Amino acid sequence: MAAEKFAEAMARDVGASATPAEIAAATRRVNARAAAAADDPTMMLSDLGGENTRRLMRQANNMPNENVQRFNLRLDQRQNFQWQRIEREMARSLRDPREYAETVGDIIARRRQAARANFDRAFSVETPMTRELRAVLARPIMRELHALTARNLANRGQAIGLENRTRQLHNVKLELDSQIQAARRAQASGNRPQAGWDVNTLQTVKRDLLSAMDNPSYRHALDNYAGESALANAAEDGFENALRMHTEEIAPMLQRMSVSEADMWRLGAARALAGRIRQGNVTRDRTESLFGSPDIQMRMEAIFPTNGARRQFQRMLVREARKSDLRKEVQGGSKTDRNLQTASEAGEPMRAAVMATQLASGRLEPVLNALSRIGNRFSGLTPATANAILERGMRPAAEGLDEQVIQILRRRAQAPQQRSNYVRGMASALMGPLNQDEPLRGGSGPRYRDGQPIR
């Protein structure tokens, strides 16, 4: 009986008039979801169904049985740790937010060591003085930065004029990174930057300088390691602005960054997202309250490095949403289902009269819907059946639909006429007291066609 109930709910999720082909396709979709959830031990078989499956689990949960407490405990426990699963998947698909506070310095040091050979090759290549580069260097801010760079090098016992142009420009670029970092911190504390240059101006100058440098070797070296200040700036900017700046500005900004800077920016963004994920009660559904808005979806599209990584994260969110939907259906709303079912029995004589009229006109679907709502003594939902339904629904989703449920689904789709005859027979049995002149199957007496007795 439990398998019948489960298959009936699954069939209704597909559609009342589903064909065998549609049932087969729906079975494949459910089992595909099951295969995708193979690495998620918290996903249950009942999570794979739709609204009707969730309602069946609620009905079984409202019926006193041995599995009620265990079922609700599982629902609560997995919801309490939803935030951790989301953060864990974000670490796999985007970046691990824990690295932001713990190992930013270590990441930068590793990148610096790995990029040393690349910079040695880049510094051996002379950067040509193109018209575009000459125009950037002629800007007043660049002359000031060049003088500041020369002074700082002189204070360390070095001289900027003894280097080739590539290394000179690199030193100016490092000074730009330091000034950007100082300006950002000054603005965050409400102060004016000491040098008088705002963050936007400095970032624009840096972008134009790198664009004007016709040196592919240097650009390749920057992709691996953009400099300690630049990487720290990128991580801070991602943390501060990933959830604040206009969504349309994120993708162009990341495209202008070097690969290493964009990677560090995403690390900061992951930490900012983790802060939002960790807010609120542990039972809060993050898939709805945080990731359900168009704004955050657009940000995810821009922030994630590849479409494949973003889709992987979204598939996990869909699974988490299914888990939350089941819990809301089972535990949410009114707890008076039993009272409503009991009260509905008082209206059975009137419903029987309505069903008689519908049967006479050949309308079977309304009759079927009415029959499905009649009390538990006709539906077969006993405590033992409810216990078995919960047991089946709590199976690991990775197991997919078992062969017994699949066979029941096939029979339902392949025998619509038998189903109609079953409805007629059930309706006749239920309305026996009202139609006493209607003979039972195999009996004798007057018969009717279109509401008129056949003579």
Side-chain angles (χ1 to χ4, degrees), residues 406-419:
I406 293 175
Q407 291 298 330
I408 295 172
L409 286 170
R410 289 173 180 168
R411 287 200 304 269
R412 287 178 60 88
Q414 292 171 350
Q417 187 59 47
Q418 293 179 6
R419 184 165 174 255

Side-chain angles (χ1 to χ4, degrees), residues 199-327:
V199 174
N200 290 335
T201 300
L202 292 167
Q203 288 178 334
T204 300
V205 171
K206 176 185 172 181
R207 182 181 68 244
D208 295 345
L209 173 64
L210 295 179
S211 298
M213 291 179 64
D214 185 12
N215 189 332
S217 297
Y218 180 69
R219 188 68 190 183
H220 175 69
L222 284 181
D223 283 341
N224 292 318
Y225 179 73
E228 183 173 347
S229 295
L231 295 181
N233 289 342
E236 290 179 7
D237 187 63
F239 175 69
E240 294 173 1
N241 297 319
L243 301 179
R244 296 179 183 176
M245 63 191 302
H246 295 301
T247 55
E248 296 81 5
E249 298 175 350
I250 297 176
M253 178 203 63
L254 289 172
Q255 291 173 359
R256 292 192 298 265
M257 289 182 174
S258 66
V259 174
S260 58
E261 286 177 299
D263 187 51
M264 294 302 289
W265 192 94
R266 291 188 174 97
L267 174 59
R271 180 59 186 86
L273 279 169
R276 291 284 186 90
I277 292 171
R278 296 168 186 175
Q279 290 177 358
N281 192 284
V282 292
T283 59
R284 179 169 68 99
D285 180 13
R286 272 77 177 168
T287 65
E288 180 179 3
S289 62
L290 177 57
F291 293 99
S293 69
D295 177 80
I296 197 67
Q297 291 173 13
M298 292 174 65
R299 291 181 190 277
M300 294 297 98
E301 185 175 358
I303 291 173
F304 274 77
T306 64
N307 288 332
R310 177 172 55 86
R311 284 194 291 267
Q312 178 178 326
F313 185 73
Q314 288 175 328
R315 284 193 291 267
M316 180 277 307
L317 290 179
V318 170
R319 292 197 299 269
E320 292 299 327
R322 285 183 170 275
K323 299 174 190 176
S324 294
D325 288 344
L326 177 62
R327 180 175 179 270

Side-chain angles (χ1 to χ4, degrees), residues 354-364 367 420 423-424 427-428 431:
V354 173
M355 283 192 292
T357 304
Q358 291 171 336
L359 275 174
S361 61
R363 299 175 60 197
L364 298 181
V367 177
S420 297
V423 172
R424 290 182 182 274
S428 298
M431 295 184 294

Side-chain angles (χ1 to χ4, degrees), residues 140-249:
I141 188 174
M142 285 300 298
R143 290 197 294 267
E144 294 178 45
L145 282 166
H146 189 277
L148 182 60
T149 303
R151 186 178 66 188
N152 290 336
L153 286 174
N155 289 333
R156 296 196 294 268
Q158 303 174 19
I160 193 170
L162 300 179
E163 303 167 327
N164 66 11
R165 186 177 295 119
T166 301
R167 189 177 288 273
Q168 291 179 31
L169 294 174
H170 177 66
N171 285 327
V172 173
K173 181 259 179 193
L174 293 179
E175 185 61 40
L176 261 170
D177 293 334
S178 298
Q179 292 299 326
I180 291 172
Q181 189 175 41
R184 177 177 286 114
R185 289 174 177 171
Q187 290 181 3
S189 60
N191 299 323
R192 179 179 174 82
Q194 186 175 1
W197 300 317
D198 64 273
V199 174
N200 290 335
T201 300
L202 292 167
Q203 288 178 334
T204 300
V205 171
K206 176 185 172 181
R207 182 181 68 244
D208 295 345
L209 173 64
L210 295 179
S211 298
M213 291 179 64
D214 185 12
N215 189 332
S217 297
Y218 180 69
R219 188 68 190 183
H220 175 69
L222 284 181
D223 283 341
N224 292 318
Y225 179 73
E228 183 173 347
S229 295
L231 295 181
N233 289 342
E236 290 179 7
D237 187 63
F239 175 69
E240 294 173 1
N241 297 319
L243 301 179
R244 296 179 183 176
M245 63 191 302
H246 295 301
T247 55
E248 296 81 5
E249 298 175 350

